[in-house]
Amino acid sequence: MDSSRSAPPPVHELVDRHVAATPDAVAVSDEERSWTYRQLSDRADALAAALAPHVRPGDRVAVHVGRRCDLVAAALAVLRSGAVYVPLDPEYPADRLRFVAEDAGPAAVVSDDPATATAWGAPVIPADADAGAGAQGPFERPGTTPGGAAYVIYTSGSTGRPKGAVLAHRSVANLLGHAADSFGFGPADSVLAIASVAFDFAVLEMFLPLTAGGTLHLPPRTVARDPELLTQWIKERGVTFLMGTPSMFGAMLGAGWRPRPGMTLIAGGEVLPPATARSLTADCTLWNIYGPTETTIYATCEKVDPDDITIGRPARGVTLTVLDGDRPAGPGEAGELCVQGIGVALGYHRRPDLTRERFAPLPGAPDTPCYRTGDLVRIRPDGRVDYLGRIDDQVKIRGFRVELGGIEEAIRAEPGVHEAAVVLAGPADSPVLAAHVVFTGGGGGGGDGDVQALRESLRRRLPAHEVPHHLLPADALPRSPHGKVDRAALRERPLPGAHEPAPVPASAASGTAALLREVFGDVLGRSDLRDTDAFFDMGGDSLSALRIVTRARSAGLALTVRDLTERPTVAALAGHLAAAAPEEAAPDEPEEVRILPSQGWFLAVDLPHRAHFVEPLTLEAAERVDRDRLQRALDALARRHPGLMSRFDGETVRAVHTAFPLLDFGLGPEDEGFVAALDGLYARVDLAEGPVSLAALFRGGPRDVLLLAFHHLVVDGLSMQIITQDLDRLYTHGPDALDRPPVSALRHSAGLTAFSRTAAARQAEREWLALPWSEIGEVPTTGPVTGLVQADLRRAGLSLDPDLAERVLSVAHHAPVTTEELILAGIAEGLAARGGSPTVAVDVFRHGRWPRGTAGDPSSTVGWLAEVVPHVLTTTPGAGPLGRLASLRAQIHRLRSFEETWGPLRHSSPDPEVRARMAALPRPQVFLHYLGRGLKDLPPMDSFTQVTTRQGCPKSPLKEPFRPIELRVTLEDGKVAFDWRIAEPAFAPGTAEALAGACADAIARLTEAVVPASR
């Protein structure tokens, strides 16, 4: 299996291209600042100049810098100076850092902690040094050879001595080019880097965006451990790519985190469980990558199908061979995977014997670089590779490669230890390291003091992922008949706490402490925990912290990762949670706020009967309705969602505290007067005086029927689901059946107004105004586009043929693009073909439930939060279909990174000049409603069932169309259907059919490029 191409320019030269092309684009940001490509380049050159007196081409330079922009400048400076980048994670133990620094023998160290770095014996260049720090004249970059070393990454060693894998410039540049092409990474994309710099994943995180013209975000390490912070960073920075290990993703999912829809996720370093893959692929594109450090980050990759997971096919320039002993394995046979080609490392630094052993050439190919992975695999007939396990005792913990023998050597080197064996134990989805230790005292030895002293010493010497979760004293280690340690027997030994709950001491002062003690014991596998034992001292890590938070939340405790980090003992956490138990009172509801963006959009439409725009919902009762109980439930619903009782006055909306109107009728749905009663009900709706919501109970049929009627200004599709679920519980179980109310529509609106005053909003306004509005083309008109009504719309329906529909719906399995992005791209190309300009504009109906502002999470808010957001897109007709699709996808992603700011700026801002500037932008000619699945499906209810009856006329037939061209796209039962509605008086005959055909043809062409039809 082979895939080859000549080596591209080295990484720093690829970055230089974007410095020249887009100097003012943001290259890197950290918690406090952002640097453009020009600023990053200037800082890197200043550091390279400071390094010049100490460094010659080929020398190693250690970079010991925290997660700040300076880290990236330092790495780039090392490469520009012709030296070899050696990353040192400041969070690693001092002993490990000292070993790597001594073994690497750096000519210099770049550090933001010079006091620590000085002890390593090399000249120290402060990370904020300028060109005057020792430089002699202007800095001139030396040349770089493709086969020269670019960086050294240290990995676990089987003898306890880490080994440094040396990777070449050609290898990393080739891999980054393959990653950008495969994953679809472009200048509009950004990466949130969360890996340790000592993990080779960090090379991909750091340099993929910088060599593709994108943006790198460097959050603090706490972000990778806290689902809430991770969500906040992704949202606020518009992150499109996130990389991590499957165990990290699994733990974050378990703690309630969900990736932002449309993101691309890259998982690697461990086996990918199908359950994790299914969760991640629900709304995102997921790639699975595989490869030891010695093969340059990854050697194989694949877009994930959760029902058929492999480690994929070889990356560009990589050849795979499977060996059964010393002979090539037959087709479909299992064997050791050997990697050849451009990605193979140059060897291990200062380890010639080990290099000859692990990089031995294959028989018949003495001159071809090869790395024997030690991984057991099978290659399928289609070229995809199944990972089957290891052929030695190397394991993966949190994505890091761990040599058990190295940990055993570290334990044996401790005073008081006679013998030790380390095994991987625990459940398959969350394995831990268990060290069985024989102390020199005999008789099991190893009292609490000995074990704690051993743990503290190991934590000083080893990285966190190498410190065993369990340190288990033993009288002796089990042996096989041949005298070897019986590791299988050790793996079978039960872990402490695995089969019995943690005991609750008599000193437990509260149920909270007892519950926390049980959760700690189960997750950490300990039955001997005391309330004062610190979580991290007992073997806890970031992933087990997430599991503890998940377990605690499921038991009703409002625990966060930050709580656990700041208060790592049961006693401290129990006290904190007890003090916080009386939940803060809900903030006072604002009495009057600016209208929501969706409300402003609606009120701008010319409607002769504005109040006649009602959303009805008909429910059939399981039993005869108790009217008094129903009235109490409706009143409780109104208190829970005060927006249902709103009153509208121009650009403001105010809350009115009143009973929920409930009318009675002695009719049934089949009676003659039923429709007239409904129309009379709708006529009662009044935006200024109220009501805007009301209910009617019809008792004339076999079963009681409840009609709920809401003006669209106070509900959207998701609101109807929330309302029915809440009303059913309130009626069935009483007014106290629900917990704390969610964020109200009024508070959400106040939060949007507050956001519109921020610096972030001002930056977003500049983004909107910078779009190419003046270049937008439109479908030619032949008549007026004002004064139109719904009856003027000509409908043209079109459904994709079954084969094309299937390929459109499954496109995300084949390329880094979603079905929605593919359809929107096709519509843009069809409009451009008819409009005479490559730039088009489409108003797109979006869900609008973005947690922007200060009010909180609006996911359970009742209100019209859905928004219409303009998408200005420029097609590239001269490019091939893949290039055109990639360009449009990148533009969509960029717009989606700040789309939630359109509504607050256009309608919520208290500054009339801001609203005026946004209102002055051209209104798109086309309105697109991409209908999702399931919005009309109500949740199961105990007392009611949704029914379909006659509904009268809930909306005025005189309503003006939203736009002269309207399109609704529905995905249902494997079908893709387009419902075009075009104002007939405004366009030439046949425009509807021609436009529908042009867009469908464009979608077909783009689809064929990524998912060809079966031949």
Side-chain angles (χ1 to χ4, degrees):
M1 298 177 58
D2 188 10
S3 177
S4 60
R5 198 176 87 168
S6 59
V11 167
H12 51 285
E13 293 183 13
L14 294 174
V15 177
D16 289 344
R17 294 179 179 180
H18 300 290
V19 174
T22 55
D24 296 321
V26 175
V28 59
S29 74
D30 58 28
E31 191 173 23
E32 299 177 349
R33 56 187 170 171
S34 296
W35 284 352
T36 64
Y37 274 87
R38 178 187 288 115
Q39 291 170 317
L40 172 62
S41 180
D42 290 346
R43 284 296 305 128
D45 272 348
L47 275 174
L51 283 169
H54 311 284
V55 174
R56 295 173 301 176
D59 285 346
R60 288 156 304 285
V61 174
V63 174
H64 175 252
V65 181
R67 302 181 64 77
R68 302 186 293 118
C69 293
D70 302 277
L71 167 65
V72 185
L76 188 58
V78 172
L79 297 178
R80 284 181 173 180
S81 69
V84 182
Y85 166 55
V86 183
L88 298 178
D89 189 336
E91 293 192 5
Y92 268 30
D95 285 355
R96 172 59 69 94
L97 292 177
R98 183 166 48 252
F99 171 84
V100 172
E102 292 174 354
D103 188 75
V109 178
V110 180
S111 178
D112 56 4
D113 182 10
T116 297
T118 299
W120 300 331
V124 177
I125 308 299
D128 57 358
D130 58 28
Q136 304 295 323
F139 169 67
E140 294 185 7
R141 299 184 193 176
T144 302
T145 60
Y151 66 91
V152 179
I153 291 282
Y154 277 78
T155 67
S156 174
S158 59
T159 64
R161 177 187 173 191
K163 51 188 182 291
V166 184
L167 286 307
H169 283 284
R170 64 188 176 204
S171 302
V172 65
N174 171 76
L175 188 283
L176 292 170
H178 176 269
D181 293 344
S182 299
F183 306 150
F185 194 100
D189 288 309
S190 62
V191 169
L192 187 69
I194 59 178
S196 162
V197 294
F199 187 18
D200 62 346
F201 234 40
V203 176
L204 183 63
E205 288 181 327
M206 183 185 298
F207 289 116
L208 173 60
L210 297 180
T211 55
T215 303
L216 167 67
H217 299 290
L218 283 170
R221 286 293 298 157
T222 51
V223 169
R225 303 165 184 156
D226 191 319
E228 295 174 3
L229 288 177
L230 183 63
T231 298
Q232 179 182 335
W233 268 73
I234 289 173
K235 186 62 182 174
E236 291 183 353
R237 307 293 175 113
V239 173
T240 59
F241 276 69
L242 183 66
M243 309 178 193
T245 63
S247 58
M248 184 277 287
F249 282 127
M252 297 295 281
L253 289 167
W257 174 77
R258 294 295 180 270
R260 186 180 183 185
M263 290 183 67
T264 296
L265 308 174
I266 300 171
E270 299 169 338
V271 174
L272 177 62
T276 300
R278 289 190 184 92
S279 296
L280 295 176
T281 54
D283 296 301
C284 298
T285 299
L286 174 65
W287 288 81
N288 190 25
I289 64 175
Y290 157 86
T293 299
E294 291 85 349
T295 63
T296 313
I297 309 170
Y298 70 85
T300 67
C301 68
E302 177 176 69
K303 180 179 284 189
V304 173
D305 174 355
D307 296 320
D308 185 23
I309 298 175
T310 74
I311 58 174
R313 295 182 173 87
R316 180 184 300 154
V318 171
T319 299
L320 304 181
T321 301
V322 178
L323 290 183
D324 181 3
D326 291 328
R327 69 170 185 84
E333 292 183 354
E336 181 183 9
L337 179 63
C338 298
V339 178
Q340 298 169 280
I342 192 172
V344 175
L346 301 176
Y348 296 119
H349 179 58
R350 292 179 175 172
R351 305 286 291 275
D353 292 342
L354 188 60
T355 297
R356 283 191 292 272
E357 175 189 337
R358 299 309 298 268
F359 293 88
L362 297 180
D367 299 323
T368 303
C370 172
Y371 176 70
R372 296 175 181 250
T373 67
D375 289 325
L376 191 66
V377 303
R378 178 192 301 113
I379 297 179
R380 297 184 180 185
D382 63 0
R384 300 162 72 213
V385 182
D386 289 314
Y387 177 82
L388 305 177
R390 289 289 300 174
I391 62 175
D392 55 23
D393 64 353
Q394 187 188 98
V395 299
K396 286 290 188 77
I397 294 290
R398 290 152 51 191
F400 288 92
R401 188 169 69 193
V402 172
E403 298 276 3
L404 299 182
I407 300 174
E408 292 170 356
E409 287 294 325
I411 295 174
R412 293 189 194 108
E414 291 291 326
V417 173
H418 173 65
E419 196 172 17
V422 181
V423 295
L424 197 65
D429 61 345
S430 55
V432 296
L433 295 176
H436 298 265
V437 183
V438 179
F439 289 87
T440 54
D448 287 348
D450 294 330
V451 171
Q452 186 61 22
L454 175 59
R455 183 180 300 281
E456 291 174 358
S457 179
L458 293 176
R459 290 183 66 191
R460 289 192 297 269
R461 298 177 56 202
L462 300 177
H465 61 270
E466 293 186 12
V467 177
H469 203 80
H470 298 279
L471 292 175
L472 307 173
D475 292 332
L477 299 180
R479 301 283 176 178
S480 71
H482 301 287
K484 295 184 178 180
V485 174
D486 189 344
R487 296 181 182 275
L490 290 176
R491 284 191 288 268
E492 293 298 321
R493 289 185 176 181
L495 297 177
H499 302 292
E500 55 184 68
V504 182
S507 62
S510 69
T512 300
L515 181 56
L516 283 172
R517 199 176 301 107
E518 180 177 353
V519 170
F520 270 52
D522 285 351
V523 172
L524 296 177
R526 302 289 295 268
S527 60
D528 56 347
L529 285 175
R530 297 164 298 198
D531 286 1
T532 54
D533 287 336
F535 167 73
F536 295 102
D537 289 342
M538 293 299 102
D541 55 37
S542 59
L543 297 186
S544 52
L546 287 169
R547 289 194 283 271
I548 281 181
V549 169
T550 303
R551 285 279 306 277
R553 286 179 174 175
S554 67
L557 298 181
L559 182 66
T560 67
V561 172
R562 184 172 298 176
D563 291 336
L564 183 56
T565 302
E566 295 176 353
R567 305 169 183 86
T569 69
V570 167
L573 280 175
H576 168 70
L577 294 174
E583 205 170 65
E584 295 180 8
D588 292 338
E589 283 295 326
E591 292 297 321
E592 185 171 284
V593 296
R594 287 196 59 80
I595 53 178
L596 285 165
S598 49
Q599 295 166 342
W601 174 78
F602 173 83
L603 294 173
V605 178
D606 184 16
L607 292 175
H609 304 292
R610 199 178 301 281
H612 193 177
F613 203 80
V614 174
E615 294 294 328
L617 178 65
T618 309
L619 304 175
E620 185 178 81
E623 300 176 352
R624 285 296 176 184
V625 172
D626 181 328
R627 192 192 187 283
D628 291 340
R629 184 155 56 123
L630 177 60
Q631 183 67 67
R632 289 193 297 271
L634 288 168
D635 291 344
L637 183 73
R639 290 191 298 271
R640 183 174 178 81
H641 304 292
L644 295 176
M645 298 290 108
S646 300
R647 303 291 184 268
F648 293 85
D649 181 13
E651 294 183 340
T652 61
V653 57
R654 69 183 190 279
V656 175
H657 307 290
T658 183
F660 197 111
L662 175 60
L663 288 75
D664 296 280
F665 293 90
L667 298 170
E670 304 304 321
D671 292 339
E672 184 177 347
F674 181 72
V675 170
L678 294 181
D679 289 339
L681 195 69
Y682 303 147
R684 292 172 176 264
V685 173
D686 190 305
L687 299 181
E689 301 298 329
V692 292
S693 305
L694 38 78
L697 185 58
F698 291 87
R699 294 182 176 272
R703 290 181 179 270
D704 290 352
V705 170
L706 175 65
L707 179 96
L708 301 173
F710 308 95
H711 194 282
H712 199 347
L713 283 175
V714 298
V715 295
D716 56 14
L718 184 56
S719 296
M720 300 296 262
Q721 297 186 3
I722 297 168
I723 286 170
T724 53
Q725 188 168 6
D726 285 0
L727 179 60
D728 183 65
R729 293 194 65 186
L730 290 167
Y731 178 80
T732 305
H733 303 289
D736 297 325
L738 298 174
D739 55 9
R740 187 178 182 180
V743 174
S744 73
L746 281 78
R747 267 205 290 141
H748 181 64
S749 181
L752 295 181
T753 299
F755 165 73
S756 69
R757 299 188 180 100
T758 65
R762 292 192 292 274
Q763 173 60 33
E765 182 188 358
R766 290 192 287 271
E767 297 270 13
W768 284 113
L769 296 177
L771 294 176
W773 299 93
S774 62
E775 301 170 18
I776 295 171
E778 293 188 337
V779 178
T781 58
T782 56
V785 294
T786 57
L788 302 169
V789 295
Q790 287 290 316
D792 292 325
L793 295 181
R794 173 180 175 78
R795 299 182 66 170
L798 184 150
S799 294
L800 301 183
D801 69 69
D803 173 70
L804 178 57
E806 181 181 1
R807 288 185 285 139
V808 168
L809 294 172
S810 66
V811 68
H813 295 296
H814 303 275
V817 63
T818 66
T819 295
E820 182 188 4
E821 292 164 355
L822 174 64
I823 289 175
L824 183 53
I827 291 169
E829 290 206 341
L831 290 172
R834 301 292 300 176
S837 170
T839 300
V840 300
V842 181
D843 261 346
V844 181
F845 197 80
R846 300 287 288 152
H847 63 77
R849 292 177 182 268
W850 300 294
R852 176 64 80 184
T854 60
D857 181 10
S859 59
S860 297
T861 299
V862 166
W864 194 2
L865 272 62
E867 293 186 24
V868 176
V869 180
H871 284 51
V872 181
L873 304 171
T874 300
T875 62
T876 50
L882 286 176
R884 301 199 309 271
L885 181 58
S887 173
L888 287 167
R889 173 185 175 272
Q891 293 175 64
I892 294 168
H893 275 231
R894 175 165 174 75
L895 281 165
R896 296 281 166 90
S897 71
F898 58 90
E899 65 175 337
E900 69 270 27
T901 64
W902 172 263
L905 291 168
R906 173 65 183 86
H907 300 287
S908 303
S909 174
D911 186 341
E913 293 185 2
V914 172
R915 300 199 305 273
R917 284 195 293 271
M918 302 299 286
L921 296 173
R923 294 181 68 185
Q925 188 184 41
V926 180
F927 168 76
L928 170 63
H929 193 173
Y930 182 87
L931 296 171
R933 303 178 176 108
L935 270 183
K936 296 183 179 180
D937 300 331
L938 299 183
M941 293 175 280
D942 294 325
S943 299
F944 300 97
T945 304
Q946 183 182 16
V947 292
T948 301
T949 65
R950 294 176 294 168
Q951 292 189 334
C953 183
K955 295 180 176 66
S956 169
L958 300 179
K959 181 180 80 70
E960 174 189 356
F962 292 127
R963 294 292 181 267
I965 301 173
E966 298 181 3
L967 171 61
R968 287 161 179 79
V969 181
T970 57
L971 313 178
E972 198 168 41
D973 299 328
K975 299 176 182 177
V976 181
F978 300 84
D979 179 14
W980 289 89
R981 305 179 187 190
I982 298 182
E984 196 167 29
F987 298 96
T991 297
E993 292 77 8
L995 189 55
C999 292
D1001 290 345
I1003 291 170
R1005 287 192 297 270
L1006 295 177
T1007 304
E1008 180 67 19
V1010 290
V1011 192
S1014 300
R1015 300 302 185 205

